[in-house]
């Protein structure tokens, strides 16, 4: 939607230098100048001399009594150390990876020293000014003065100007000067002019009334994700607008960009939106009422905030687009609307203050800005903004805040503005062009699924196009090395839907006096890169809400991470845009064309969110030598919840753990029941982790369980009993662990038929050894295998323990059986001995089966845990084979190699077994779960997925079968 993106600066040679990983904490370099004998008091200009903006004219001297609210902005004490620290936070394997600065840490670590602050304050006082209290990060000192006082203190003058758009203001006649010893520590003095060029370039495509008057929430009772209420859907239809042709509904937009889409999406994440206008709260309530959402929205006014009442056309439409888009895609996130003064009245100081407030609050993990301006216009009229903004955005990156910004709506000619400027030369928009900001371009999109097409948005000079090109101010960046060879920072980095003719639907009240639908609730369609920016913000917020990011640290500064993902697995993370250009003039004078890979028309492409989330927050599996008990003797009544600390003991790290492989033991049950386990602080899922039939049952069940960032999980039981939890291994953002490779299920051990052993007798109070490495696709050198282990016809009661051959037998078992249920199945991740063998120790008497489903090694796929959800459920007759879609369901992306499932069978008097395998593969004699008659059972299994994104399931006898998904490997 907007060419609202900008402000820019010449970047210093130190900051422009290639980033490298280094010691993260900067040393306190002493201030070189000061009031001592060696101080250099020679006046030195800060920045370049400003010029009046293109199309403006001077109108005389500024009144000497005009009051100025300025900030003197200081440099970080060691710019290179700051750049190195940011690089380290985004580099897997670095000790600083995803360890960001906490609130209040930036000043002591990277802010100017107190000596520097004192010296600058002293120089200001000597110049006749009264400095205020320095900011907590020591980056800015506020000063209030008249133009006469400022002119004398900074050796400059002021003149009034009238801009081409009618706005009036003033600028300085020369760059401000301070003594050289302190000038070297100042990035810029902001507030010396008030001709901010931040403007709105909304691209509305019309509106239509809602016939019944209100978009009430008339949703289906089974609605699980934000969809249009019937009144709104009918209004679009009556208007002649079609979903995926003229606009993209929330569900369609989520589908197009492979986004998880449910009411719980985005939980635990805050997204800040930068605005220079008010927003109509009534319209936001209408949107939420229609979609059935209850998204929390907070508001903060900066510098007094906006005062103009929104009419939802000239004022307020940008905020509606930003917030309604985020509500639709991340309904459980918190949105924080930071509102500076109205754009037509805002000064550069107001803009800087609003960004500063967002970053200093540090409450948002993601920041979205759909406002800006042509970078060279900003550099011309107010070069003092340059260093100040750059340092703020570096601070955001150091704090782990992801910052996305619209790249503008004037194609490759960002200074072009109909009726104001006819400049169609190569230009880009800021802040999208800043190195510590991720610039978002615009596309035109049509269709969905296999019929979806996406091209560069270009509607010509009248209706705009996606911004992009090469900065004239920022040098080439190291993260773009290998993607483009241009001399400057290339923009955009990524792209998303921007074309108004296939744009974003809105619901709002028309408050524009004179409109036919004045004061009526309407549906509308709007476009521009102002819609693309919050769409990418939603994609990053979704990634931040995944277990990997919640446990191991949010995605943080994006540019390094995005380009690294493109280098390693481009087609999984991005949809490459290869058609179109952004020359809105149409004369070939400003053309960047889309092509294979990165280009200045579409960046890396649009998001494949589910897979991209895995690239942003990666993790590997760490197998423990034996089970580690983390909870013991939990006596629970029916329908109660206990809390389990699953990390920080027995070799399990306290931080960075995203999920644990646990063995849940239940004894002394009060009757048939089930459990579920999930991250503490989140809503309890409706799926089952383990279940049992009967009173006083003893049962062990393995499950992969997500944990909260603090390592805690909640355990719920529908029935009374005594519970224990053992951890067998864990998934962590520490990449020193192993990854998973699925194989077609194969039987490695069957004591009934001398498979893996030489006898056909049950195991009786003894240990057997069977080979794993070199069998059925399992190579040598694996660290662990995933085995589905079954006991058959056990006598009385007993237990089973699997472990690496040559190792000491663990003291904790992994399976039970009893006379009531002699047949049990459990999925185990088992360490493999150096000889490639596995041991199974049996206490009691039973036959044992072991089927292999995959292995862990240094080369493989990484688990992406997902919130447990029901993938499929059917009541099946005996001998039925079902084909179950996996890819594209419940947030599982295309191209997955395996899924981690819980397979459950309801009570059946005859007993039976279930097999699962990859569709297009061959069914073999293996078991996902098996049971004796009259029992209900649940078992975890990791299943390869066919090339068509499906799995097959066979049931030997009639049963009610359900399949729940816990995660996937891609």
């Amino acid at each position: 939607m907007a060419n609202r993106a900008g402000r820019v600066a010449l970047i210093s040679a130190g900051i422009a230098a290639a980033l490298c990983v280094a010691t993260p904490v900067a040393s306190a370099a002493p201030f070189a100048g000061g009031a001592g004998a060696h101080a250099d008091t020679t006046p030195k200009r800060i920045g370049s001399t400003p010029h009046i903006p293109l199309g403006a004219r001077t109108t005389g001297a500024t009144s000497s009594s005009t009051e100025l609210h300025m900030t003197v902005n200081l440099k970080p004490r060691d710019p290179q150390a700051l750049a190195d620290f940011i690089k380290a936070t985004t580099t897997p394997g670095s000790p600083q990876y995803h360890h960001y600065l906490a609130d209040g840490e930036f000043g002591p670590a990277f802010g100017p020293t107190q000596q520097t602050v004192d010296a600058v304050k002293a120089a200001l006082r000597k110049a006749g000014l009264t400095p205020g209290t320095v900011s907590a990060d020591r980056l800015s000192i506020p000063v209030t003065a008249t133009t006469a006082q400022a002119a004398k203190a900074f050796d400059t003058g002021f003149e009034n100007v009238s801009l081409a758009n009618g706005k009036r203001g003033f600028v300085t006649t020369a760059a401000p000067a301070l003594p050289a010893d302190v000038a070297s520590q100042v990035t810029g003095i902001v507030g010396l002019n008030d001709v901010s060029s931040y403007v709105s370039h909304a691209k509305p495509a019309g509106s239509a009334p809602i016939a019944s008057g209100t978009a009430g929430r008339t949703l289906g009772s089974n609605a699980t994700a934000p969809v249009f209420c019937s009144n709104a859907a009918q209004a679009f239809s009556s208007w002649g607008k079609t979903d995926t042709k003229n606009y993209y509904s929330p569900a369609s937009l989520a589908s197009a960009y492979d986004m998880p889409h449910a009411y719980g999406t985005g939980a635990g994440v805050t997204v800040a939106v930068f605005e220079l206008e008010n927003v109509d709260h009534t319209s936001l309530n209408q949107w939420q009422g229609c979609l059935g959402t209850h998204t929390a929205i907070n508001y903060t006014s900066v510098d007094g905030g906006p005062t103009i009442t929104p009419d939802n056309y000239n004022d307020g439409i940008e905020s509606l687009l930003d917030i309604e888009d985020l509500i639709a895609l991340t309904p459980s996130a918190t949105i924080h609307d930071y509102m500076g003064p109205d754009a037509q009245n805002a000064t550069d100081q107001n803009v800087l203050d609003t960004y500063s407030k967002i970053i200093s609050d540090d409450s948002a993990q993601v920041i979205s800005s759909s406002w800006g301006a042509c970078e060279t216009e900003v550099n011309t009229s107010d070069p003092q903004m340059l260093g100040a903004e750059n340092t703020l955005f570096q601070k955001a990156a150091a704090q782990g805040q992801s910052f996305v910004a619209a790249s503008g709506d004037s194609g490759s000619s960002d200074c072009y503005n109909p009726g104001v400027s006819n400049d169609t030369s190569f230009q880009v928009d800021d802040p999208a062009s800043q190195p510590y900001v991720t610039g978002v371009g615009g596309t035109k999109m049509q269709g969905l699924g296999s019929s979806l097409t996406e091209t560069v948005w270009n509607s010509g000079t009248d209706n705009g196009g996606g911004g992009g090109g090469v900065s004239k101010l920022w040098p080439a960046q190291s993260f773009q090395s290998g993607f483009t060879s241009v001399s400057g920072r290339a923009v955009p980095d990524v792209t998303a839907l921007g074309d108004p003719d296939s744009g974003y639907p809105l619901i709002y009240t028309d408050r524009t006096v004179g409109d036919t639908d004045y004061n009526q609730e309407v549906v509308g369609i709007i476009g521009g890169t102002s819609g693309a920016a919050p769409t990418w913000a939603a994609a990053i917020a979704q990634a931040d809400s995944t277990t990997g990011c919640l446990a191991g640290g949010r995605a943080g500064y994006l540019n390094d991470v995005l380009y690294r993902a493109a280098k390693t697995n481009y087609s999984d993370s991005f949809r490459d845009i290869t058609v179109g250009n952004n020359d809105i003039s149409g004369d070939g004078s400003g053309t960047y064309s889309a092509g294979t890979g990165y280009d200045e028309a579409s960046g890396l492409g649009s998001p494949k969110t589910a897979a991209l989330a895995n690239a942003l927050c990666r993790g590997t599996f760490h197998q423990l030598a034996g089970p580690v008990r983390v909870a013991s003797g939990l006596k629970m009544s029916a329908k109660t919840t206990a809390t389990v600390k699953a990390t920080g003991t027995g070799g399990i790290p306290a931080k960075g753990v995203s999920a644990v492989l646990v063995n849940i033991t239940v004894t002394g049950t009060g009757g048939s029941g089930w459990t579920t386990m999930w991250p503490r602080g989140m809503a309890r899922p409706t799926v089952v982790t383990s279940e049992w039939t009967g009173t006083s049952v003893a049962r062990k069940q393995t499950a992969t369980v997500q944990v909260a960032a603090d390592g805690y999980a909640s355990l719920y039981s529908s029935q009374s009993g005594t519970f224990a939890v053992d951890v067998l291994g864990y998934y962590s953002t520490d990449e020193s662990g192993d990854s998973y490779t699925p194989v077609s299920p194969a039987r490695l051990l069957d004591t009934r038929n001398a498979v893996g052993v030489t006898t056909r007798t049950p195991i009786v109070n003894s240990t057997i050894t069977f080979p794993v490495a070199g069998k059925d696709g399992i190579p040598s050198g694996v660290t662990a295998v995933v085995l589905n282990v079954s006991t058959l016809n056990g006598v009385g009661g007993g237990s089973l323990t699997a472990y690496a051959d040559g190792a000491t037998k663990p003291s904790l078992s992994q399976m039970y059986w009893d006379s009531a249920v002699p047949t049990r199945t459990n999925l185990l991740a088992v360490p493999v001995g150096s000889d490639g063998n596995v041991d199974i120790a049996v206490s009691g008497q039973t036959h044992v089966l072991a089927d292999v489903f995959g292995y862990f090694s240094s080369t493989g796929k990484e688990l992406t845990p997902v919130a447990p959800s029901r993938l499929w459920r059917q009541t099946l007759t005996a001998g039925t084979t079902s084909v179950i879609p996996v890819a594209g369901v419940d947030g599982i992306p295309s191209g997955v190699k395996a899924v981690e499932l819980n397979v459950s069978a309801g009570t059946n008097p005859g007993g039976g077994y279930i097999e699962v395998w990859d569709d297009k593969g061959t069914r073999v004699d293996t078991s996902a779960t098996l049971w004796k008659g009259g029992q209900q059972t649940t078992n975890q299994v990791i299943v390869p997925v066919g090339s068509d994104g499906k799995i097959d399931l066979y049931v030997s006898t009639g049963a009610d079968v359900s399949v729940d998904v816990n995660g996937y490997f891609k």
Side-chain angles (χ1 to χ4, degrees), residues 79 124 134 190 228 252 316 325 354 366 613 624 689 737 847 875 913:
L124 294 173
V134 68
V190 178
F228 280 137
S252 295
D325 187 34
T354 306
V366 185
L624 298 174
T689 300
H847 276 295
T875 299
Y913 63 91

Side-chain angles (χ1 to χ4, degrees), residues 343-673:
Q344 50 267 62
N345 301 319
T347 66
D348 287 343
Q349 186 64 61
N350 296 145
V351 170
L352 191 69
D353 287 348
T354 306
Y355 279 129
S356 180
K357 180 62 175 172
I358 295 172
I359 295 165
S360 296
D361 280 358
D362 195 17
S363 62
Q365 293 79 42
V366 185
I367 303 169
S368 179
S369 175
S370 297
W371 300 73
C374 175
E375 67 170 15
T376 56
E377 285 187 357
V378 177
N379 186 48
T380 295
S381 63
D382 191 6
Q384 297 299 305
M385 279 288 284
L386 308 183
E389 275 199 329
N390 174 65
T391 303
L392 272 182
F393 298 151
Q394 283 185 301
K395 179 183 176 183
Q399 294 176 165
Q401 293 178 290
S402 305
F403 195 150
V404 298
S407 68
D409 291 355
S410 296
S412 58
S413 307
D414 197 68
C415 286
Y416 179 80
N417 188 356
V420 177
S421 167
N422 292 319
D423 181 2
T424 57
S425 64
F426 284 127
Q427 301 286 350
V428 295
D429 207 68
D430 186 88
S433 62
Q434 297 232 12
Y436 290 95
V437 174
T438 299
V440 185
T443 64
K444 178 182 180 64
M445 195 158 62
Q446 295 280 278
L448 203 62
S450 60
S451 66
L452 187 149
T453 61
E454 194 168 15
T455 60
V456 176
W457 165 43
N458 187 343
S459 299
T461 53
D462 291 336
N463 294 306
V470 181
S471 173
K472 289 180 168 61
L473 303 173
W474 299 93
Q477 299 297 306
S478 60
F479 56 78
Q480 293 182 312
S481 176
F483 291 91
T484 178
S485 58
V486 295
S487 59
R489 155 83 160 116
V491 185
D493 299 295
V494 291
T495 196
L497 177 62
D499 178 24
D501 291 332
S502 59
Y504 297 83
L506 299 181
I507 294 174
Y508 59 95
T509 295
D510 185 339
R511 301 194 184 281
T512 302
V513 177
D515 278 3
T516 303
D517 302 322
Y518 176 62
N519 268 349
Q520 292 188 52
E521 188 177 356
V522 299
V523 294
I525 301 173
I526 200 164
T529 56
S530 285
T535 295
W536 262 94
I540 303 307
Q542 289 188 1
D544 281 346
S545 69
T546 63
T547 300
C549 284
L550 288 174
R554 55 186 179 262
Y557 171 53
L558 293 175
N559 290 350
D560 282 340
V561 182
L562 292 173
Y563 285 89
R564 185 184 303 114
K567 286 180 180 178
T568 58
N569 216 349
Y570 181 74
S571 61
D572 283 348
S573 299
F574 303 96
R575 178 185 295 123
D576 191 9
I577 311 301
T578 60
V579 177
N581 67 69
N582 63 353
D583 176 18
I584 61 170
S585 67
D587 62 4
S589 63
T591 299
Y592 291 102
S593 296
T596 302
Y598 180 86
D599 52 72
E600 288 79 10
S602 63
L604 294 169
S606 58
K608 294 182 179 179
T609 305
L612 182 62
N614 193 35
L616 295 176
C617 301
R618 300 165 62 88
T620 57
F621 182 73
H622 300 255
Q623 175 71 53
L624 298 174
V628 172
R629 181 143 292 180
V630 295
S632 180
L634 294 174
K635 295 185 180 297
M636 298 174 62
S637 302
K639 300 181 180 178
T640 59
T641 301
T643 299
V644 176
K645 180 71 161 67
T647 62
T649 185
I652 309 167
K655 294 184 178 181
V657 174
S658 59
V660 286
L661 182 65
V662 298
N663 200 242
I664 302 172
T665 303
V666 55
T667 57
T669 58
S672 300

Side-chain angles (χ1 to χ4, degrees), residues 11-20 78-84 390 394 436 475:
I11 186 166
S12 69
I15 296 174
L19 301 180
C20 62
D78 188 340
Q80 187 58 52
L82 175 56
D84 292 344
N390 174 65
Q394 283 185 301
Y436 290 95

Side-chain angles (χ1 to χ4, degrees), residues 14 19-27 76-88 109-110 394 398 436:
L19 301 180
C20 62
V21 178
T23 304
V25 179
S27 60
R77 74 184 67 171
D78 188 340
Q80 187 58 52
L82 175 56
D84 292 344
F85 172 82
I86 296 168
K87 180 74 172 181
F110 297 110
Q394 283 185 301
Y436 290 95

Side-chain angles (χ1 to χ4, degrees), residues 288-300:
Q288 297 224 65
C290 175
L291 267 60
T293 57
H294 302 279
T295 305
I297 308 173
N298 300 322
Y299 300 92
T300 295

Side-chain angles (χ1 to χ4, degrees), residues 897-968:
K897 305 302 181 185
V899 283
E900 189 173 79
L901 308 172
N902 274 4
V903 179
S904 301
T907 302
N908 179 281
Y913 63 91
I914 293 174
E915 297 179 34
V916 286
W917 66 97
D918 53 306
D919 191 43
K920 308 298 183 185
T922 302
R923 176 186 159 200
V924 293
D925 185 20
T926 58
S927 299
T929 188
L930 50 88
W931 68 98
K932 283 292 185 180
Q935 301 294 317
Q936 57 188 18
T937 183
T938 295
N939 190 45
Q940 180 172 272
V941 63
I942 300 177
V943 187
V945 177
S947 58
D948 58 357
K950 300 174 182 178
I951 61 173
D952 293 349
L953 180 147
Y954 170 85
V955 61
S956 66
T957 188
D960 182 11
V961 179
S962 61
V963 178
D964 302 326
V965 62
N966 299 312
Y968 61 86

